[in-house]
Coordinates of all heavy atoms in Angstrom, one line a residue:
M5 N -59.6 54.2 45.9 CA -59.6 52.9 46.6 C -58.8 51.9 45.7 O -58.9 51.9 44.5 CB -61.0 52.5 46.7 CG -61.2 51.2 47.6 SD -62.9 50.8 47.8 CE -63.3 49.9 46.3
R6 N -58.1 51.0 46.4 CA -57.4 50.0 45.7 C -57.8 48.6 46.4 O -58.3 48.6 47.5 CB -55.9 50.2 45.9 CG -55.4 51.5 45.2 CD -54.0 51.7 45.4 NE -53.6 53.1 45.0 CZ -52.6 53.4 44.2 NH1 -51.9 52.4 43.7 NH2 -52.4 54.6 43.9
V7 N -57.4 47.5 45.7 CA -57.7 46.2 46.3 C -56.4 45.3 46.1 O -55.8 45.4 45.0 CB -58.9 45.6 45.7 CG1 -58.8 45.4 44.2 CG2 -59.3 44.3 46.4
D8 N -56.1 44.6 47.1 CA -54.9 43.7 47.1 C -55.4 42.2 47.1 O -56.4 41.9 47.8 CB -54.0 43.9 48.3 CG -53.3 45.3 48.2 OD1 -53.0 45.7 47.1 OD2 -53.1 45.9 49.3
V9 N -54.7 41.4 46.5 CA -54.9 39.9 46.5 C -53.8 39.3 47.4 O -52.6 39.5 47.1 CB -54.9 39.3 45.1 CG1 -55.1 37.8 45.2 CG2 -56.0 39.9 44.2
D10 N -54.2 38.5 48.4 CA -53.2 37.7 49.1 C -53.1 36.3 48.3 O -54.0 35.5 48.4 CB -53.7 37.4 50.5 CG -52.6 36.7 51.3 OD1 -51.8 35.9 50.7 OD2 -52.6 36.8 52.6
R11 N -52.0 36.2 47.6 CA -51.9 35.0 46.7 C -51.6 33.8 47.5 O -51.8 32.7 46.9 CB -50.8 35.3 45.7 CG -51.2 36.4 44.7 CD -50.1 36.9 43.8 NE -49.5 35.8 43.0 CZ -49.9 35.5 41.8 NH1 -51.0 36.2 41.2 NH2 -49.4 34.6 41.0
D12 N -51.3 33.9 48.7 CA -51.1 32.7 49.5 C -52.4 32.1 50.0 O -52.5 30.9 50.3 CB -50.3 33.0 50.8 CG -48.8 33.3 50.5 OD1 -48.3 32.8 49.4 OD2 -48.2 34.1 51.2
L13 N -53.5 33.0 49.9 CA -54.8 32.5 50.3 C -55.7 32.2 49.1 O -56.6 31.3 49.2 CB -55.5 33.6 51.1 CG -54.9 34.0 52.5 CD1 -55.7 35.1 53.1 CD2 -55.0 32.7 53.4
C14 N -55.5 32.8 48.0 CA -56.3 32.6 46.8 C -56.3 31.1 46.4 O -55.3 30.5 46.4 CB -55.8 33.5 45.7 SG -56.8 33.2 44.1
E15 N -57.6 30.6 46.1 CA -57.7 29.2 45.7 C -58.2 29.1 44.3 O -58.8 28.1 43.9 CB -58.6 28.4 46.7 CG -60.0 28.9 46.7 CD -60.9 28.0 47.5 OE1 -60.4 27.2 48.3 OE2 -62.2 28.2 47.4
S16 N -58.2 30.2 43.5 CA -58.4 30.1 42.1 C -59.8 29.8 41.7 O -60.0 29.3 40.6 CB -57.5 29.1 41.4 OG -56.1 29.2 41.9
N17 N -60.8 30.1 42.5 CA -62.2 29.8 42.2 C -62.8 30.8 41.3 O -64.0 30.7 40.8 CB -63.0 29.5 43.5 CG -62.8 30.7 44.4 OD1 -62.9 31.9 44.0 ND2 -62.6 30.4 45.7
A18 N -62.2 32.0 41.1 CA -62.6 33.0 40.2 C -63.9 33.7 40.6 O -64.6 34.3 39.7 CB -62.7 32.5 38.8
V19 N -64.3 33.6 41.8 CA -65.5 34.3 42.3 C -65.4 35.8 42.0 O -66.3 36.5 41.5 CB -65.8 34.1 43.8 CG1 -66.9 35.0 44.3 CG2 -66.2 32.6 44.0
C20 N -64.2 36.4 42.3 CA -64.0 37.8 42.1 C -64.0 38.1 40.6 O -64.6 39.2 40.2 CB -62.6 38.2 42.7 SG -61.2 37.2 42.1
V21 N -63.5 37.3 39.8 CA -63.5 37.5 38.3 C -64.9 37.5 37.8 O -65.3 38.3 36.9 CB -62.7 36.4 37.6 CG1 -62.7 36.7 36.1 CG2 -61.2 36.4 38.1
G22 N -65.7 36.6 38.4 CA -67.1 36.6 37.9 C -67.9 37.8 38.3 O -68.8 38.3 37.6
I23 N -67.6 38.4 39.4 CA -68.3 39.6 39.9 C -67.7 40.9 39.1 O -68.5 41.8 38.7 CB -68.1 39.8 41.4 CG1 -68.8 38.7 42.1 CG2 -68.6 41.2 41.9 CD1 -68.5 38.6 43.6
A24 N -66.4 41.0 39.0 CA -65.8 42.2 38.4 C -64.7 41.8 37.4 O -63.5 41.9 37.7 CB -65.3 43.1 39.5
P25 N -65.1 41.3 36.2 CA -64.0 40.8 35.3 C -63.2 41.9 34.7 O -62.1 41.6 34.1 CB -64.9 40.1 34.2 CG -66.2 40.7 34.3 CD -66.4 41.1 35.7
D26 N -63.6 43.1 34.9 CA -62.8 44.3 34.4 C -61.7 44.7 35.5 O -60.9 45.5 35.2 CB -63.6 45.5 34.1 CG -64.6 45.8 35.2 OD1 -65.0 45.0 36.0 OD2 -64.9 47.0 35.3
I27 N -61.8 44.1 36.7 CA -60.9 44.4 37.8 C -60.0 43.3 38.1 O -58.8 43.5 38.5 CB -61.7 44.8 39.0 CG1 -62.7 45.9 38.7 CG2 -60.8 45.2 40.2 CD1 -62.1 47.3 38.3
F28 N -60.5 42.0 38.0 CA -59.8 40.9 38.4 C -59.6 39.9 37.3 O -60.5 39.8 36.4 CB -60.5 40.1 39.6 CG -60.7 40.9 40.8 CD1 -62.0 41.5 41.0 CD2 -59.7 41.1 41.7 CE1 -62.3 42.2 42.2 CE2 -60.0 41.9 42.9 CZ -61.3 42.4 43.1
E29 N -58.5 39.2 37.2 CA -58.4 38.1 36.3 C -57.5 37.0 37.0 O -56.8 37.3 37.9 CB -57.8 38.5 34.9 CG -56.4 39.0 35.0 CD -55.9 39.5 33.6 OE1 -56.7 39.8 32.8 OE2 -54.7 39.5 33.4
L30 N -57.5 35.8 36.4 CA -56.6 34.8 36.9 C -55.4 34.8 36.0 O -55.5 34.9 34.8 CB -57.3 33.4 36.8 CG -58.5 33.2 37.7 CD1 -58.9 31.8 37.7 CD2 -58.2 33.7 39.2
D31 N -54.2 34.7 36.6 CA -52.9 34.8 35.8 C -52.5 33.4 35.4 O -53.3 32.4 35.5 CB -51.9 35.5 36.6 CG -51.4 34.7 37.9 OD1 -51.9 33.6 38.1 OD2 -50.6 35.3 38.6
D32 N -51.3 33.2 34.9 CA -50.8 32.0 34.4 C -50.7 30.9 35.5 O -50.7 29.7 35.2 CB -49.4 32.1 33.9 CG -49.4 33.0 32.6 OD1 -50.5 33.2 32.0 OD2 -48.3 33.5 32.2
E33 N -50.7 31.3 36.8 CA -50.7 30.3 37.9 C -52.1 30.1 38.4 O -52.3 29.4 39.4 CB -49.8 30.9 39.0 CG -48.4 31.1 38.6 CD -47.5 31.7 39.8 OE1 -47.4 31.0 40.8 OE2 -47.1 32.8 39.6
D34 N -53.1 30.6 37.7 CA -54.5 30.5 38.1 C -54.8 31.2 39.5 O -55.6 30.8 40.2 CB -55.0 29.0 38.2 CG -55.5 28.6 36.9 OD1 -55.7 29.4 36.0 OD2 -55.8 27.4 36.7
L35 N -54.0 32.2 39.8 CA -54.3 33.0 41.0 C -54.8 34.4 40.5 O -54.4 34.9 39.5 CB -53.0 33.2 41.8 CG -52.4 31.8 42.3 CD1 -51.1 32.1 43.0 CD2 -53.4 31.2 43.3
A36 N -55.6 35.0 41.4 CA -56.2 36.3 41.0 C -55.2 37.4 41.0 O -54.3 37.4 41.9 CB -57.3 36.6 42.0
V37 N -55.3 38.3 40.1 CA -54.5 39.5 40.0 C -55.5 40.6 39.8 O -56.6 40.5 39.2 CB -53.4 39.5 39.0 CG1 -52.4 38.5 39.3 CG2 -54.0 39.2 37.6
V38 N -55.1 41.8 40.2 CA -55.9 43.0 40.0 C -55.3 43.7 38.8 O -54.1 43.9 38.7 CB -55.8 43.9 41.3 CG1 -56.6 45.2 41.0 CG2 -56.3 43.2 42.5
T39 N -56.2 44.0 37.9 CA -55.7 44.6 36.6 C -55.8 46.1 36.5 O -55.4 46.6 35.4 CB -56.6 44.0 35.4 OG1 -57.9 44.3 35.6 CG2 -56.5 42.5 35.4
V40 N -56.2 46.7 37.5 CA -56.2 48.2 37.6 C -55.5 48.7 38.8 O -55.3 47.9 39.8 CB -57.6 48.8 37.5 CG1 -58.4 48.3 36.3 CG2 -58.4 48.4 38.8
D41 N -55.0 49.9 38.8 CA -54.3 50.4 39.9 C -55.4 51.0 40.9 O -55.7 50.4 41.9 CB -53.3 51.5 39.5 CG -52.4 51.9 40.6 OD1 -52.3 51.2 41.6 OD2 -51.8 53.0 40.4
E42 N -56.0 52.1 40.5 CA -57.1 52.7 41.3 C -58.4 52.2 40.8 O -58.7 52.1 39.6 CB -57.0 54.2 41.1 CG -57.9 55.0 42.0 CD -57.4 55.1 43.4 OE1 -56.2 54.8 43.7 OE2 -58.3 55.4 44.3
I43 N -59.3 51.8 41.7 CA -60.6 51.3 41.4 C -61.4 52.5 40.9 O -61.6 53.4 41.7 CB -61.3 50.6 42.5 CG1 -60.4 49.5 43.2 CG2 -62.6 50.0 42.1 CD1 -60.0 48.4 42.3
P44 N -62.0 52.4 39.7 CA -62.9 53.5 39.3 C -64.1 53.6 40.3 O -64.6 52.6 40.8 CB -63.4 53.1 37.9 CG -62.3 52.1 37.4 CD -61.8 51.4 38.7
A45 N -64.5 54.8 40.5 CA -65.6 55.1 41.5 C -66.9 54.2 41.2 O -67.5 53.7 42.1 CB -66.0 56.5 41.6
D46 N -67.2 54.1 39.9 CA -68.4 53.4 39.5 C -68.2 51.9 39.6 O -69.1 51.1 39.3 CB -68.9 53.8 38.2 CG -67.9 53.5 37.0 OD1 -66.8 53.1 37.3 OD2 -68.3 53.7 35.9
R47 N -67.0 51.4 40.0 CA -66.8 49.9 40.1 C -66.6 49.5 41.6 O -66.4 48.4 41.9 CB -65.6 49.5 39.3 CG -65.7 49.8 37.8 CD -66.9 49.1 37.2 NE -66.7 47.7 37.1 CZ -67.5 46.8 37.6 NH1 -68.7 47.2 38.1 NH2 -67.3 45.5 37.5
E48 N -66.6 50.5 42.4 CA -66.3 50.2 43.8 C -67.3 49.3 44.5 O -67.0 48.4 45.3 CB -66.2 51.5 44.7 CG -65.0 52.4 44.3 CD -64.8 53.5 45.2 OE1 -65.7 53.7 46.2 OE2 -63.9 54.3 45.1
A49 N -68.6 49.4 44.1 CA -69.6 48.6 44.7 C -69.4 47.1 44.4 O -69.4 46.2 45.3 CB -71.0 49.0 44.2
D50 N -69.0 46.8 43.1 CA -68.8 45.4 42.8 C -67.5 44.9 43.4 O -67.4 43.7 43.8 CB -68.7 45.3 41.2 CG -70.1 45.1 40.6 OD1 -71.0 45.0 41.3 OD2 -70.1 45.2 39.4
V51 N -66.5 45.7 43.5 CA -65.3 45.3 44.2 C -65.5 45.0 45.6 O -65.0 44.0 46.2 CB -64.2 46.4 44.0 CG1 -62.9 46.1 44.9 CG2 -63.7 46.5 42.5
R52 N -66.3 45.8 46.3 CA -66.6 45.6 47.7 C -67.4 44.2 47.8 O -67.2 43.5 48.8 CB -67.5 46.7 48.3 CG -66.7 48.0 48.5 CD -67.6 49.1 49.1 NE -67.0 50.4 49.1 CZ -66.1 50.8 49.9 NH1 -65.7 50.0 50.9 NH2 -65.6 52.0 49.8
Q53 N -68.3 44.0 46.9 CA -69.0 42.7 46.9 C -68.0 41.5 46.7 O -68.1 40.5 47.4 CB -70.0 42.7 45.8 CG -70.9 41.4 45.9 CD -72.0 41.4 44.8 OE1 -71.8 41.9 43.7 NE2 -73.1 40.7 45.1
A54 N -67.1 41.7 45.8 CA -66.1 40.6 45.6 C -65.3 40.4 46.9 O -65.0 39.2 47.2 CB -65.1 41.0 44.4
V55 N -64.9 41.4 47.5 CA -64.1 41.3 48.8 C -64.9 40.5 49.8 O -64.4 39.6 50.5 CB -63.7 42.7 49.3 CG1 -63.2 42.6 50.7 CG2 -62.7 43.4 48.4
Q56 N -66.2 40.8 49.9 CA -67.1 40.2 50.9 C -67.3 38.7 50.5 O -67.5 37.9 51.4 CB -68.4 40.9 51.0 CG -68.3 42.3 51.6 CD -69.6 43.0 51.7 OE1 -70.6 42.6 51.1 NE2 -69.6 44.1 52.4
L57 N -67.4 38.4 49.2 CA -67.8 37.0 48.8 C -66.6 36.1 48.5 O -66.8 34.9 48.3 CB -68.7 37.1 47.6 CG -70.0 37.8 47.8 CD1 -70.9 37.8 46.5 CD2 -70.8 37.1 48.9
C58 N -65.4 36.6 48.5 CA -64.2 35.8 48.3 C -64.2 34.7 49.4 O -64.1 35.0 50.6 CB -62.9 36.6 48.4 SG -61.5 35.5 48.4
P59 N -64.3 33.4 49.0 CA -64.4 32.4 50.0 C -63.2 32.2 50.9 O -63.3 31.7 52.0 CB -64.6 31.1 49.1 CG -65.1 31.6 47.8 CD -64.4 32.9 47.6
K60 N -62.1 32.7 50.4 CA -60.8 32.6 51.2 C -60.4 33.9 51.9 O -59.3 33.9 52.5 CB -59.7 32.2 50.2 CG -60.0 30.8 49.5 CD -60.2 29.7 50.5 CE -58.8 29.3 51.1 NZ -59.0 28.1 52.0
I61 N -61.3 34.9 51.8 CA -60.9 36.2 52.4 C -59.5 36.6 52.0 O -58.7 37.1 52.8 CB -61.1 36.1 54.0 CG1 -62.3 35.4 54.4 CG2 -61.1 37.5 54.6 CD1 -62.5 35.2 55.9
A62 N -59.3 36.5 50.7 CA -58.0 36.8 50.1 C -57.9 38.2 49.6 O -56.8 38.7 49.2 CB -57.7 35.8 49.0
L63 N -59.0 39.0 49.6 CA -59.0 40.3 49.0 C -59.1 41.3 50.2 O -59.9 41.2 51.1 CB -60.2 40.5 48.1 CG -60.2 39.6 46.9 CD1 -61.5 39.7 46.1 CD2 -59.0 39.8 46.0
T64 N -58.3 42.4 50.0 CA -58.3 43.4 51.0 C -58.4 44.8 50.4 O -57.7 45.1 49.4 CB -56.9 43.4 51.8 OG1 -56.8 42.1 52.4 CG2 -56.9 44.5 52.9
L65 N -59.3 45.6 50.9 CA -59.5 47.0 50.3 C -58.4 47.9 51.0 O -58.1 47.7 52.2 CB -60.9 47.5 50.7 CG -62.0 46.9 49.9 CD1 -63.3 47.6 50.3 CD2 -61.9 47.1 48.4
R66 N -58.0 48.8 50.2 CA -57.1 49.9 50.7 C -57.8 51.2 50.4 O -57.8 51.7 49.3 CB -55.7 49.8 50.2 CG -54.9 48.7 50.8 CD -53.4 48.9 50.5 NE -53.1 48.6 49.1 CZ -52.4 49.3 48.3 NH1 -51.9 50.4 48.7 NH2 -52.1 48.9 47.1
E67 N -58.4 51.8 51.4 CA -59.2 53.0 51.2 C -58.3 54.3 51.0 O -58.7 55.3 50.5 CB -60.2 53.3 52.3 CG -61.1 52.1 52.6 CD -62.3 52.1 51.7 OE1 -62.4 53.0 50.8 OE2 -63.1 51.2 51.9
D68 N -57.0 54.1 51.5 CA -56.2 55.3 51.5 C -55.6 55.7 50.2 O -54.9 56.6 50.1 CB -55.0 55.0 52.5 CG -54.2 53.8 52.1 OD1 -54.6 53.1 51.2 OD2 -53.1 53.6 52.7
G69 N -55.9 55.0 49.2 CA -55.5 55.5 47.9 C -54.9 54.5 47.0 O -54.6 54.9 45.9
Ligands
SF4_130 S1 -62.6 35.1 44.9 FE1 -60.8 35.1 46.3 S2 -60.1 32.9 46.2 FE2 -61.4 33.3 44.5 S3 -60.0 33.8 42.8 FE3 -60.7 35.7 43.7 S4 -59.2 36.2 45.3 FE4 -58.9 34.1 44.7

């Protein structure tokens, strides 16, 4: 599983970073970036929660790999 950030939607509130700081961080522009390629299986639950709780619906899961 992978996760993408739509940087046009992200508003830099760091909700995702708070939920999964090992997966998301804010870059120099204060926009979220994903710091891993493939989400580790034991981190998928938190990533799914981040996707659900992102206030801007800026995160998208890619289950295909
Ligand atoms: S939770 Fe959503 S809007 Fe907030 S920083 Fe993460 S991707 Fe951006």
Side-chain angles (χ1 to χ4, degrees):
M5 188 176 85
R6 299 175 191 231
V7 61
D8 292 327
V9 179
D10 185 334
R11 292 169 63 88
D12 291 330
L13 293 177
C14 177
E15 66 174 10
S16 314
N17 53 46
V19 170
C20 55
V21 180
I23 294 170
D26 53 330
I27 306 295
F28 302 99
E29 66 180 24
L30 297 187
D31 66 6
D32 292 344
E33 299 177 63
D34 271 350
L35 297 174
V37 292
V38 179
T39 58
V40 301
D41 192 15
E42 188 75 17
I43 308 298
D46 64 352
R47 302 300 292 128
E48 288 187 1
D50 277 351
V51 170
R52 288 181 192 280
Q53 185 180 30
V55 170
Q56 290 177 351
L57 294 181
C58 170
K60 300 301 289 185
I61 317 177
L63 300 175
T64 305
L65 290 179
R66 283 196 286 134
E67 304 278 0
D68 57 352

